[in-house]
Amino acid sequence: MSTIGEIARRAGVSRSTVSYVLSGNRPVAEETRRRIQAVIDETGYRPNASARALREGRTHTLGLVIPPAGDRLTGMQLDFVAAVVEAAARADLDVLLSPSGGDHERSFTRIVGGRRVDGVILMEVRLDDDRVARLQRSDLPFVTIGRTAHPDGTAWVDVDYEDLVARCVDHLADLGHRHVALVNRSAERLAAGYGPARRALAGFSAAITRRGLTGVDVCCGDDPAAGEACVEQLLAGAPEVTAIATVNEAALPGMRRALDAAGLVLPQDFSVTGVAARQPAEDFRPPLTAADVPVEEMGTQAVAQLRERIARPATPPGHRLYRPPISLRSSTGPAARRVS
């Protein structure tokens, strides 16, 4: 494989002269430039990514800030990562994954200040998120998947969890359910101001009040074991509950095990609905009535917005709030009359 040194030797010039031709940083005599270019064409030399970045002023790499490596990513989080990577690849861009939070603060600092990427996509956004504030203070283009409490000045894509959970409650109320539970994300996420958890709770509370229902909200870790324990405790402490709305996709398999263990058949004895990606909703048994999060479309939109911000920094930031319809499947039905 040819190198800059080999190109320089064959063209009879110095390595620095070859570098000037590749980068365009300094003028080179036309005859010399043509001689160097002829050798480059003859050898099929392709400058590496660093040289390309030097020449064009860009790295052709996007940063994707993900939750800490110590946290097991949920299926939806992994789907977002895949959607961003695939959308970037279609645009001939690389993606640098960087964990954020806890012991990984230096990784985020390098992403923001190190000029290793042309722009950043930030996942798992909190209502009051210091990472967003730091990105705003930098001149690095960025887009968030999720949004803060005051998102007008930033570019973002998000799901309207408040509206969708409220519609899930309306669906259950229309089926005659009077005692409904919300299985939310973890207590730690709720306390930290994690956007989907806070907005889901707000939508649930508002809909319960509006429809005159009795509601109970519980927090649950992002894994099947937590889902199983959560629903076991819920059924023991609130046996009058006949339906669950949830935004905790990762806990669904465990929630199903707990309902099975309690002898509750869906949807004859109990109903479950919520907000989830399409595939986990369809894999649930019976298939889950849910607002299907358009993960691939959101990842693609986030990359498109970021590319626009990189190319035209003065363009007003774009916002895209998704409100997918509730797909009626088989996990919800009329409220069963409980026998005391």
Side-chain angles (χ1 to χ4, degrees):
M1 179 181 293
S2 297
T3 64
I4 288 181
E6 176 68 12
I7 298 298
R9 186 187 66 77
R10 295 182 61 171
V13 298
S14 67
R15 291 169 58 93
S16 60
T17 302
V18 175
S19 295
Y20 297 153
V21 169
L22 291 172
S23 68
N25 284 345
R26 293 190 184 182
V28 176
E30 182 62 21
E31 181 180 348
T32 302
R33 190 195 65 77
R34 287 179 180 175
R35 189 165 70 252
I36 293 170
Q37 188 61 53
V39 175
I40 290 172
D41 294 342
E42 179 184 344
T43 61
Y45 172 78
R46 293 292 179 270
N48 62 24
S50 297
R52 185 184 180 197
L54 181 64
R55 184 176 69 252
E56 299 180 3
R58 292 185 183 173
T59 66
H60 296 269
T61 301
L62 307 181
L64 178 59
V65 180
I66 61 176
D71 294 349
R72 184 170 64 179
L73 298 186
T74 68
M76 188 180 295
Q77 289 167 341
L78 289 172
D79 287 344
F80 272 122
V81 171
V84 168
V85 170
E86 290 174 7
R90 289 194 294 269
D92 197 25
L93 299 171
D94 295 324
V95 176
L96 175 63
L97 299 182
S98 175
S100 171
D103 296 333
H104 301 281
E105 192 60 29
R106 285 182 297 178
S107 177
F108 181 72
T109 298
R110 286 195 298 269
I111 282 283
V112 174
R115 283 301 171 191
R116 304 169 70 187
V117 297
D118 297 326
V120 166
I121 295 174
L122 177 65
M123 293 174 54
E124 301 295 291
V125 174
R126 300 182 292 272
L127 296 182
D128 182 13
D129 201 312
D130 63 318
R131 300 169 304 169
V132 174
R134 287 175 63 184
L135 284 165
Q136 286 179 302
R137 291 193 296 269
S138 76
D139 60 353
L140 187 65
F142 72 96
V143 174
T144 61
I145 297 177
R147 67 197 193 280
T148 64
H150 305 287
D152 290 347
T154 59
W156 50 264
V157 298
D158 200 5
V159 174
D160 193 344
Y161 280 94
E162 185 169 352
D163 175 74
L164 295 181
V165 170
R167 285 201 271 130
C168 287
V169 172
D170 283 333
H171 171 63
L172 295 171
D174 291 343
L175 290 170
H177 294 276
R178 309 303 300 167
H179 302 276
V180 178
L182 170 69
V183 175
N184 206 333
R185 304 292 290 276
S186 71
E188 292 78 12
R189 287 183 180 274
L190 190 66
Y194 178 56
R198 286 286 187 90
R199 292 186 172 105
L201 180 57
F204 178 78
S205 300
I208 288 293
T209 300
R210 175 167 47 79
R211 297 301 297 258
L213 309 181
T214 299
V216 55
D217 59 273
V218 294
C219 291
C220 180
D222 292 339
D223 61 82
E228 186 171 7
C230 175
V231 171
E232 286 176 352
Q233 295 168 11
L234 175 65
L235 295 177
E240 70 278 6
V241 168
T242 59
I244 286 173
T246 185
V247 292
N248 197 325
E249 173 189 293
L252 280 171
M255 293 167 59
R256 188 68 181 88
R257 289 199 297 267
L259 293 170
D260 287 342
L264 297 173
V265 178
L266 274 63
Q268 291 90 335
D269 304 323
F270 203 91
S271 290
V272 179
T273 184
V275 183
R278 181 180 61 81
Q279 196 60 54
E282 293 181 346
D283 289 344
F284 193 72
R285 289 294 175 265
L288 185 72
T289 293
D292 299 339
V293 177
V295 175
E296 183 175 349
E297 182 180 348
M298 291 176 67
T300 299
Q301 179 67 18
V303 171
Q305 286 198 27
L306 184 55
R307 292 178 64 199
E308 177 72 16
R309 308 243 0 113
I310 292 168
R312 301 174 182 83
T315 303
H319 307 146
R320 184 71 180 271
L321 187 61
Y322 289 84
R323 298 185 179 95
I326 294 178
S327 297
L328 297 177
R329 299 189 177 97
S330 308
S331 66
T332 53
R337 191 181 294 273
R338 293 287 177 86
V339 179
S340 303

